[in-house]
Amino acid sequence: MNTIAIFDRLSALADPIRGRLLLTLEGQELTVRELQAVLQLPQSTVSRHLKVLADLGLIATRSEGTSNWYRMAREPEPGRRRLWLAIRDEVAGSAAARRDAARLTRILSERHQTSQRFFASAAGQWDQLRSELFGRSSELLALPALLEESWTVGDLGCGTGSLAALLAPFVHRVIGVDESAAMLKTARQRTRELPNVELRNGALEAPPLAAGELDAALLLLVLHHAPDPARVLSAVHRALKPGGKLLVMDMQPHEHLEYREQMGHQWLGFAEPELRGWLEPAGYAGVRCIALPPDPKAKGPPLFALTARTAPSP
C-alpha cells in the first residue's frame, strides 16, 4: 500500500458516518432505504458515503430488480481490513452507533415478521406455489449432494441416462450399465458433456464391473426385469467396496398381469421377506425397506426403497 493510498483511506474512514455505515453493513445486506432508517439520514447523504466506501473496496454492491443491496466486502484487501479493525471498536462504542444498532434490530425484526406473515397466509397453498416457482419435487434435486464427492456410483440398468446425468455433478464418477443398445445410445447423447460418466453395455447378472469398483450401487425400477434377482444382487455385491451401499427402488407386490406382456416385467413387484431372502445370503447387512408414499397422479403400483450395505473392511 503506497503512502497516498494510506492517507486516502484514513481520510475516508475518519468520517463518523462512514464508520457507522460499515458497522451496520458488517453482518447483513441492506438497501439505501433501510440504511436511511438505521442512520436517520437523507438518501443523498447515505448514497454519497456509500460511493466513497465502494470506491475504496470496503463494501460490495448487488443489484436486484430496481434495488441495490449493500454489505461489507467479504474479503477486503488486508490493508483496508486492518484500517477498519483499528477504528471499529471506537465506532461501535459511540452513542450514535448504539442507536443505529437498536434501529437495525427493529428493521431486521420487521423483515422476519413479513416473512412469517407470508407463510401464515400461504400455508394452505405453499406446496402448489413452490411447485409453480421451482417445479414439482424440486427439493429432491438437491439430495444427491448428500453423496460423498469421492464416490464412484453405479447406475445399474441406467436406461436413457437421466439418473446418471443427475448424479454426475455430485460424485467423482458414475458408471452406467445397461443391456439395451438403444437405451445406451440415448444415454450417451444425454451425458456427452459429462466427462465423469462412463457407460457400459452388459447384463446385470454379470455386470462389466471390477470387484470393489463401486462405492454405491443403484437399482431403480430395474430388478423386476431380471429373470434371477438373487443373481443380480450377488453380482452387485461383488462390485461394491467393503462398506459399500446398495439402493433398490421397485414396485411393491401388485396384480397388473398386463405388465408382463406390455413391458416384459419378469416379477409383479417384491415383498420385503422375499428381498431379504436374497440379500442376506449374498452378504448384505443393515437391510432397511420403506414403503414410499404413492403419488396420487401415478397410475402404477406403489413403490418401496430398500437400502443395504456390504461388510466393512476388517
Side-chain angles (χ1 to χ4, degrees), residues 289-312:
C289 190
I290 299 172
L292 299 177
D295 184 330
K297 295 182 179 179
K299 297 179 181 179
L303 305 175
F304 67 84
L306 178 145
T307 56
R309 65 177 184 276
T310 59

Side-chain angles (χ1 to χ4, degrees), residues 227-244:
D228 188 349
R231 186 179 169 195
V232 172
L233 294 169
S234 181
V236 173
H237 185 279
R238 175 181 170 276
L240 284 167
K241 294 178 181 177

